[in-house]
Amino acid sequence: MTRDSIKNKHAVIVGAGMAGLLAAAALSDTFGKVTIIEKDSLPESPQVRNGVAQGAHVHTLLGYGVEAMEALLPGLMADIYSAGAVKIRRNFDIWFHDAIGPTPVRDVGILTPSVTRPLLEHVTRQRVLALANVNLRDATKVLNFEIDQQGGVSGIQVLADDIYESISADLVVECSGRASHLSSWLAEHGFGEAPSQRLKILMGYTSGFFRMPDDLAENGKACLMLAVPPDYRAAYLTPVDGNMWLATMYGRGKDTAPLDPEGFVTWAKGLPHPVIHDMLVRAEPISDFKRYKIPYGIWYRYDQMPNFPRGLIPLGEALTSFNPMYGQGMSLAAGQALSLREAIAGGLDADMSARYFEGCKTLNGVGWSVMETRDFAYDCTSGDRPADLEARWQSAAAIRQLAETDSEVHSLSVRVTHLLESPSELAGPEIIEKTKRPS
C-alpha cells in the first residue's frame, strides 16, 4: 500500500498520554483520519488525572526528546515556554551532583523545559487536536482488539456510556502505558509469548510542590542529585510553571521518602549533599505529597516475535518502560513516534511493523543500557547482568573524571546522556588516550 493510498485510511490510538499524542502527530500527515481513544474524562485545564499515576512527579525531557517533539510538532517548545515552563540550560541552570561530586557548571548548548506533567500534556494535546484530521474520544474504555480473517488487527472494541461499540481501523497504536495488557492479549489469541528484558529496580519516588523563598524565586536553578552507592537516596528539585518548586525524592527498596511535609524534608538530610535539604527547609510546602513505585524496568521485545500481527504497533511505555529517574520515557516515546512516521512512509504493508521496530531498536537499546549500567550499582537490583558491566563502570568513571577539566569531553558526555550522540563517541581513541593520561 503506497503512501498516497493511506490518505483514506483510519488510524486509532489507544491512550491520550504523551505517547499517544506524539503518535497522533506522527500519523496525522499520512492517514486521512486519526482517532485517539482515552479512558479518562480529560480536563479542560492542566490537571493531574487518574490515568497518569506519575503525573504529580518530576518529568524531564532530554535534549533528544526536545528535538524529536519539535520535529513532530514544530513550535511546540515555544508554546510550552509561553504557557509557563522554565528554561533550563544544561548543565548551567542545573546543579548536578553524582558519585564523584558536583559536576562542572558549563552551558553545553542543550535547552530543555522544566514543566509540570499536566501543563506539558495540556499544551501538547491542544496542538495535536488542532490538527484537522485528529479527533479525540475520552471517557471511552478499550475492551479488546479485533482480528480480521487474515489474523491482523482490524480495530478495537470499546465501552462508553454503557454502550458497546466496534471501531474499525487500518492501524491500531497501543499507547496505554505501563498498564498495557498487549503481551497477555497476544498470548491468549495465539500469537505466542512476547519475549522481554526485565530488570528489578525497586524504585519509588515521592513528590510535592513548594513555594520558593523570595531570594531564590528568580534564580531559575534546578538541583539534580544522584544516589551514591551503596546508599539509595536521590532527588530532583526544579522550578516549574506557577512559580513553584517541584521536589521529587527517589528511593529504592523500602527506603522511600514519607508523605508528610516534615518527614519529606527530614528524609532529604540523607542525600549525598545538603543543598536540597537546606533549600527545602526555607520553602513552604503547598501541596499534598504523592508516591509512585516502579518495581521493574521492562522492554517488550515484540520485534523478536515471529508472528506479530499486522495492523498493530506498541509505542511508549507499552513497549519500553524503564527507570523514570533517568528522564528517558517521553524522549523514547518521541523517538518511537518518529520511527513510526518513517515506517509508515514506506507504506502500510506487511513489513511496516518490522520497519518500525528496527527503526527504534538502537534508541531503545541505548535507553536500556543506561538503566542497567546505573541500576546495577545498587544491591537491590536484580536481573541479567551484562558481561561488560565492570568495563562500563570503569569507562564511565574515567570519562566523568576527565570532564572535570576537559570541557569538550564534558559537553560530549552530556550530549550522550541526552541521547543526542551515540555512546560510541565516548569510546574513540582520542578520548581513551586522554583518560589514560595522569591527572
Side-chain angles (χ1 to χ4, degrees), residues 59-229:
H59 281 68
T60 300
L61 271 174
L62 301 181
Y64 172 83
V66 169
E67 292 189 1
M69 290 172 68
E70 277 290 299
L72 292 162
L73 293 165
L76 178 61
M77 292 302 129
D79 292 343
I80 291 169
Y81 290 126
S82 294
V86 178
K87 295 180 179 179
I88 299 292
R89 293 166 294 176
R90 308 284 181 143
N91 275 25
F92 187 79
D93 295 324
I94 183 166
W95 187 86
F96 181 57
H97 187 287
D98 60 13
I100 292 178
T103 64
V105 177
R106 298 187 180 110
D107 187 349
V108 299
I110 300 173
L111 184 66
T112 61
S114 183
V115 59
T116 58
R117 168 61 186 259
L119 182 64
L120 176 62
E121 186 176 292
H122 177 76
V123 173
T124 306
R125 186 165 65 243
Q126 286 183 315
R127 280 294 307 273
V128 170
L129 294 184
L131 300 170
N133 58 339
V134 177
N135 63 90
L136 169 71
R137 289 185 53 174
D138 63 351
T140 301
K141 183 178 181 180
V142 175
L143 302 175
N144 212 341
F145 300 107
E146 293 187 335
I147 304 174
D148 61 23
Q149 292 181 347
Q150 290 74 43
V153 171
S154 58
I156 57 174
Q157 299 169 4
V158 302
L159 174 65
D161 296 326
D162 296 323
I163 298 173
Y164 293 90
E165 183 183 352
S166 175
I167 300 176
S168 297
D170 301 285
L171 178 67
V172 175
V173 186
E174 161 66 323
C175 299
S176 61
R178 181 171 278 264
S180 172
H181 298 293
L182 178 57
S183 63
S184 58
W185 181 86
L186 289 168
E188 290 169 5
H189 288 80
F191 293 101
E193 296 288 338
S196 65
Q197 295 174 204
R198 292 176 182 261
L199 196 65
K200 190 174 183 180
I201 58 177
L202 299 179
M203 171 64 72
Y205 47 113
T206 310
S207 299
F209 291 95
F210 290 79
R211 181 172 291 114
M212 312 174 194
D214 291 341
D215 60 319
L216 295 178
E218 299 299 325
N219 72 5
K221 301 291 184 181
C223 295
L224 173 59
M225 193 175 302
L226 300 184
V228 178

